Amino acid sequence: MKKTTSEGPETTVADVLVAELAAWGIDLFFGIPGASSLPLVDAVRKNQNARYIVVRHEQTAAMAASAYNKFTGRIAVCLTIAGPGATNLATGLYDAKEDRASVLSLNGQVKTQYAGPGGIQEIDQDAFFRPITVFNNTVADPVTAVKLLTRALRYAIVARGVAQLSLPNDIQAAPLESAYCERETCLPSVSAAPTDEAVRAAAEVIDAASRPVILAGFGAMHAAGAVLDLATKIQAPIVTTFRAKGILPDDNEWVAGVHGELGTPHALTLVLKSDLVIACGASFSDLTGIPQGKRAVQIDIDPLQLGKHPLAAGVFGDCAIALPRIAGQVQAREDRGERRWLADKKREWFDRLDREADPEAVPVRPPYIMKVLSDLLPEDAVISLDVGDNQWWFGRNFRMKRQRFAMSGYLGTMGFGLPGAIAAKLAYPDATVACITGDGGFAMVMADFATAVKYDLPIVVVVLNNHELAMIREEQREAGYPPYGVDLTNPDFAAFARASGGAGIRVTQPQDLPRAVEEALKMNKPVVVDVETDPERFPVKKGAGPA
């Protein structure tokens, strides 16, 4: 049994819970204090192993906690008040739910005597959080607090989702002797090894295919070496989902790029001409766009994901464990010219991206912004990507080296970029952290730029400022509607950054962009690079097209 750091009869429920979390290596809390959570907040204050990041809006707390798990695999805690504090968490916690990120939410609740209709800031939090969570409960008796906490952690880790505990204020403050608490044992992580039969079946299907293609998803991000080993042995190109962009550098000889709406043409060609897709940690979302009739071998740690796409063989197991075992049984193949064909197509594609990156166009073109960022962001940078047209351009035009990035995948919520960057800098304090966002997404959470300033978190926030919800306008155009409700009246984001205590650089001319990014990367403070950019995907004027 893991020891706790709280001892003695004077400790409270709140003290014991924070100590239990610290003993499990969970030391980062995001939220806003308030009346119903004061004992918990004070327990964080007293615990030298815990840190409370006070945000300006609870949505930021939840999205930062979700991003923290996506980047690190570790759990962060949301710690807020009852009622509005709890409800404000919903969007960020839904992001964690949809992307299978492990998050713990500790929410204050009114004193037990005030529970029920008519209580100020009291809602039925069990009912509210039920659709979002894999574990959800209210601590009604101090004796059960530790057991419920450790059970919540078990569910968050094993089920890879959101666990929520509500704690009435008087329960938090009640005395508790930790030595006599019943607790459950939490697993630090969960992995699964496939059966020999599943491995053998997958190997047989792969050997029988003449043109296999590997589809790497987010679930294979920790198994990049194993993906490459299999690709090399069977001479199979690798396409990725958007969330797995960067699993291997874009210049790797086997990487064909992202498949889907904003993917590369050669990735599409390879999948269409293939007779087998080997899906590694990929969930076959509609945005990835794998044809329904395509035969597939699927490797996934979630058995419920297996079979969403018709399977030739399904392998229940962790990609890092399953792929080496499959690679050990498949037959090695001779070079059939796949690498040469792929190298030629990638060269054509990169030349096209270079032509799109017009260094003279005013307003600054998004492809040029992505080229500058691709050239200047360090190879080990950590990138938090927002949702919007900036995301479209990043997926299509940014060239990954060894950077890692995270975004709001299935929920696709605007405003993820800045909270994600705050979480990334807390997780990797020595790394260069960049947020790539649009004016719409940044404006939703811009108050928390001051949070980055407060906690001295040097991040570079690049805002693609086109004065529109450009992706929505594009969706309106594709659906046959006229543009409406998408124009934005923006403040001067650079001036706002300076007023918040950070740095701000405004860029209106393309020749100024490289110098601005270089300057921002050298600053040891949060900085906004506000880039006046073109809302048009591909201007119609001569010479400015995509090819």
Side-chain angles (χ1 to χ4, degrees):
M1 182 178 294
K2 192 173 285 285
K3 294 180 180 179
T4 66
T5 57
S6 61
E7 296 178 357
E10 300 305 316
T11 55
T12 66
V13 168
D15 294 328
V16 172
L17 295 187
V18 172
E20 288 284 335
L21 289 169
W24 284 103
I26 300 170
D27 54 10
L28 190 58
F29 298 74
F30 295 98
I32 299 176
S36 60
S37 63
L38 291 182
L40 277 167
V41 171
D42 195 56
V44 173
R45 177 189 67 82
K46 292 185 292 185
N47 193 306
Q48 62 182 0
N49 296 315
R51 187 177 187 189
Y52 195 32
I53 305 299
V54 179
V55 297
R56 299 302 179 93
H57 194 287
E58 290 91 351
Q59 172 180 282
T60 297
M63 286 196 287
S66 177
Y68 188 78
N69 185 258
K70 293 176 187 181
F71 279 123
T72 68
R74 297 171 58 198
I75 291 180
V77 182
C78 301
L79 175 52
T80 64
I81 66 167
T87 58
N88 280 345
L89 293 173
T91 298
L93 293 184
Y94 254 110
D95 172 77
K97 167 187 165 64
E98 295 298 312
D99 285 351
R100 307 299 297 273
S102 298
V103 171
L104 176 65
S105 183
L106 295 181
N107 300 294
Q109 182 56 285
V110 300
K111 294 180 180 180
T112 50
Q113 70 184 96
Y114 301 124
I120 301 300
Q121 292 192 325
E122 196 274 352
I123 64 169
D124 185 346
Q125 290 177 184
D126 285 356
F128 179 79
F129 285 109
R130 191 169 295 124
I132 310 176
T133 54
V134 295
F135 181 86
N136 179 42
N137 215 318
T138 294
V139 179
D141 184 341
V143 175
T144 66
V146 172
K147 184 174 183 177
L148 288 175
L149 177 72
T150 50
R151 183 174 294 180
L153 287 175
R154 280 206 311 124
Y155 273 80
I157 294 168
V158 175
R160 293 180 296 131
V162 178
Q164 190 275 147
L165 278 183
S166 292
L167 292 106
N169 181 281
D170 52 328
I171 298 291
Q172 297 171 44
L176 185 64
E177 173 59 72
S178 65
Y180 299 104
C181 292
E182 184 180 358
R183 50 179 56 76
E184 295 185 357
T185 299
C186 305
L187 298 173
S189 62
V190 178
S191 61
T195 63
D196 293 340
E197 292 79 6
V199 171
R200 185 161 49 248
E204 289 174 357
V205 172
I206 293 170
D207 284 340
S210 58
R211 296 181 65 88
V213 169
I214 296 173
L215 170 64
F218 187 76
M221 288 297 285
H222 65 304
V227 171
L228 182 58
D229 288 344
L230 179 62
T232 303
K233 187 169 184 180
I234 66 174
Q235 300 286 295
I238 302 166
V239 303
T240 78
T241 64
F242 189 176
R243 290 185 70 203
K245 178 181 173 71
I247 183 174
L248 293 162
D250 280 339
D251 62 4
N252 182 279
E253 61 182 348
W254 287 111
V255 173
V258 173
H259 189 273
E261 177 186 347
L262 44 71
T264 66
H266 42 282
L268 176 61
T269 298
L270 286 166
V271 169
L272 291 178
K273 291 186 175 181
S274 70
D275 60 351
L276 182 71
V277 172
I278 306 168
C280 309
S283 58
F284 292 99
S285 78
D286 54 345
L287 291 180
T288 303
I290 302 298
Q292 271 294 314
K294 191 65 62 177
R295 294 181 78 241
V297 168
Q298 187 179 2
I299 303 106
D300 206 288
I301 198 170
D302 182 356
L304 290 178
Q305 291 293 341
L306 297 174
K308 285 177 62 177
H309 183 95
L311 295 180
V315 180
F316 168 47
D318 191 313
C319 288
I321 299 172
L323 286 173
R325 293 180 59 184
I326 293 171
Q329 292 199 23
V330 296
Q331 298 174 8
R333 305 188 187 207
E334 299 293 329
D335 184 357
R336 300 165 300 167
E338 290 281 0
R339 279 183 297 177
R340 180 177 300 177
W341 180 90
L342 183 54
D344 290 341
K345 293 301 180 181
K346 288 174 68 171
R347 190 179 307 110
E348 293 174 8
W349 177 247
F350 289 148
D351 288 345
R352 174 175 171 173
L353 297 185
D354 287 340
R355 291 196 301 274
E356 291 174 9
D358 186 346
E360 298 180 357
V362 178
V364 183
R365 293 285 299 139
Y368 180 64
I369 298 172
M370 294 304 158
K371 176 174 173 52
V372 170
L373 293 176
S374 296
D375 291 343
L376 296 181
L377 287 181
E379 290 196 4
D380 60 349
V382 184
I383 301 168
S384 180
L385 182 64
D386 217 321
V387 170
D389 225 42
N390 62 280
Q391 182 185 39
W392 195 89
W393 288 110
F394 176 89
R396 186 179 183 279
N397 290 65
F398 188 91
R399 302 187 198 182
M400 298 289 281
K401 299 182 180 70
R402 294 187 300 108
Q403 297 98 343
R404 71 186 82 184
F405 90 101
M407 67 179 185
S408 177
Y410 281 91
L411 188 63
T413 182
M414 292 171 63
F416 180 89
L418 178 61
I422 289 172
K425 194 63 183 180
L426 289 164
Y428 306 108
D430 297 327
T432 296
V433 173
C435 165
I436 300 176
T437 183
D439 47 349
F442 181 66
M444 285 187 171
V445 293
M446 59 190 287
D448 272 298
F449 183 79
T451 301
V453 173
K454 175 180 180 179
Y455 294 102
D456 191 21
L457 302 174
I459 57 177
V460 177
V461 181
V462 180
V463 181
L464 277 65
N465 189 350
N466 51 34
H467 304 276
E468 286 188 358
L469 299 172
M471 178 171 280
I472 308 303
R473 182 173 61 85
E474 185 67 17
E475 291 170 347
Q476 289 174 333
R477 184 191 66 79
E478 291 177 356
Y481 297 104
Y484 181 74
V486 294
D487 56 307
L488 298 175
T489 301
N490 292 327
D492 185 329
F493 292 124
F496 163 78
R498 292 191 292 270
S500 299
I505 306 171
R506 182 162 170 77
V507 177
T508 59
Q509 300 299 315
Q511 63 268 23
D512 296 332
L513 181 61
R515 183 171 60 252
V517 173
E518 289 175 339
E519 182 182 348
L521 290 172
K522 294 176 182 176
M523 292 182 181
N524 192 31
K525 61 167 59 178
V527 55
V528 168
V529 181
D530 182 8
V531 187
E532 191 80 14
T533 187
D534 188 350
E536 295 291 335
R537 287 274 172 95
F538 293 107
V540 179
K541 63 182 181 179
K542 184 178 179 181

